[in-house]
Amino acid sequence: MTSTIRTLTDDDAAGLEQAGRVSAGRGEDPGEPTREGAAARLSRELLSDEALDELIARAGEGQVRLTGPGGFLPELVARVLERGMGAELSDHLGYERGDRAGRGSPNSRNGSTPKTLRTEVGEVPIETPRDRAGTFEPRLVPKGTRRLDGLDAMIISLYSGGMTVRDIQAHLARTLGTELSHETIANVTDAVAEEVKAWQSRPLDPVWPVVFLDALVVKVRDGAHVVNRSAHIAVGVDTDGLKHVLGIWVQQTEGAKFWAAVCAQLANRGVRDVLIACCDGLPGLPEAIEATWPHSVVQTCVVHLIRAANRYVSYEDRKALSAALRRVYTAADADAAETALLELADSPLGRKYPAAVAVWQRAWERFIPFLAFPPAVRRVIYTTNSIESLNYQLRKIIKNRGHFPNEDAVIKLLWLAIRDIEDKRARAREKDRGKPANQRTAPGRLVEGAVVQGWRAALNQLELLYPDRLAGQIN
């Protein structure tokens, strides 16, 4: 085995850690180092504790490194692949190497061809066996393959975490000693474009009790300039109280035309009714929703109104203003709420901050539908926090990217990031499985498939309000 005189470094550890994450993503148990996975069981059978102790000792003494050029893992991968392809060739020829049955055969072994595979443990040089007739097609490492699937999965994982193509290129070279071109990495990330399109056009349920809409500001290159664009994310609550990301759209045109196209796309995907649409004063959206689903209620997010009002208020007065506004949005009906808002406007606090009161006055017609709903429904539509918590996670990823080359790149990254966040949380929950409830630390689902708290009570009240529209939709 080739070895390199080098100690086990942080880069080696980072490479192994990343490789472990990729393995978990390919179906192995994501708990403690894939303890229950088939691969882990096989490794325990093949590698004794004594052999592992010797490997650790040699790595600690600098006699061998684990990943990268000349490392133990690349060499192990190479031997497994070469032996596997040798077995495939024997099966193809119909006889083993050195077997007398092969004498006089019309086809035989014809040496090998060197090839370097790029993998999640570094570059792996292998010898691909050949046959004289040129009919052998290895399945383990097909012809033309230069990367194993694990490396592609690693690239996608790094990209979904917010790293740019150049960042990924540098990271792989530093941690694994694998040199990939900018175009190769870009092609790997572009390969998910078809998945994104399929997800963005998938059929949807016909009736959605609640749909939340919110926006992220992203920087996109437009010719020679970088401009701000709004990436809108829609999260729907189905009749079972489960949240789903319905789609992602990057706004390129003025409000009314853009939102008309978004609503038309949702309708074409099967959405024939939305009971309540909760958003934050997006221009043109209410009109587009009402034109597409005439009986929908468009509701301004109450928490957004509170925050918008507090922008005009000094820090020491915000608690008092929030308490005064609470009397408005917890009022029994629109008349009581209007009275509470007028009292706030006439109070010393209201006269001190008239702009804060004006925020509510301007949004009044889109706020008061909230007051017509019973308490259980109010608690569901009170805020778009379910989508804001998602956006908070996405903003951290977007921040690393600077700007995007186009709108499709924005949608691709956001979709990958959502999938990556949910996958990480799922692996953490799997690790906590079997532990007592007070020892579980894994977070729940962020959005996709998360359950709305208090949904059964809200659904009962919605069914009383909209018996015809929900008929036949509740499981």
Side-chain angles (χ1 to χ4, degrees), residues 82-110:
E82 289 174 350
R83 187 165 181 82
M85 287 188 291
E88 286 184 334
L89 180 57
S90 294
D91 184 65
H92 176 72
L93 296 175
Y95 62 90
E96 298 292 337
R97 178 184 292 275
D99 192 338
R100 292 183 177 182
R103 292 180 180 178
S105 171
N107 198 4
S108 61
R109 289 171 172 79
N110 189 32

Side-chain angles (χ1 to χ4, degrees), residues 78 189 350 383:
T189 60
T383 176

Side-chain angles (χ1 to χ4, degrees), residues 205-210 236-244 273 275 451-452 455-456 458-460 462-463 469-475:
D205 291 347
V207 177
W208 293 85
V210 185
V237 179
D238 66 18
T239 53
D240 293 324
L242 300 179
K243 302 172 189 174
H244 303 275
D273 196 7
L275 303 188
V451 180
V452 173
W455 178 247
R456 287 300 168 188
L459 183 60
N460 285 327
L462 286 172
E463 193 168 11
R469 296 165 69 183
L470 286 174
Q473 302 299 321
I474 301 175
N475 297 325

Side-chain angles (χ1 to χ4, degrees), residues 336-350:
E338 186 176 13
T339 299
L341 186 63
L342 291 173
E343 291 175 354
L344 171 59
D346 291 337
S347 70
L349 190 63

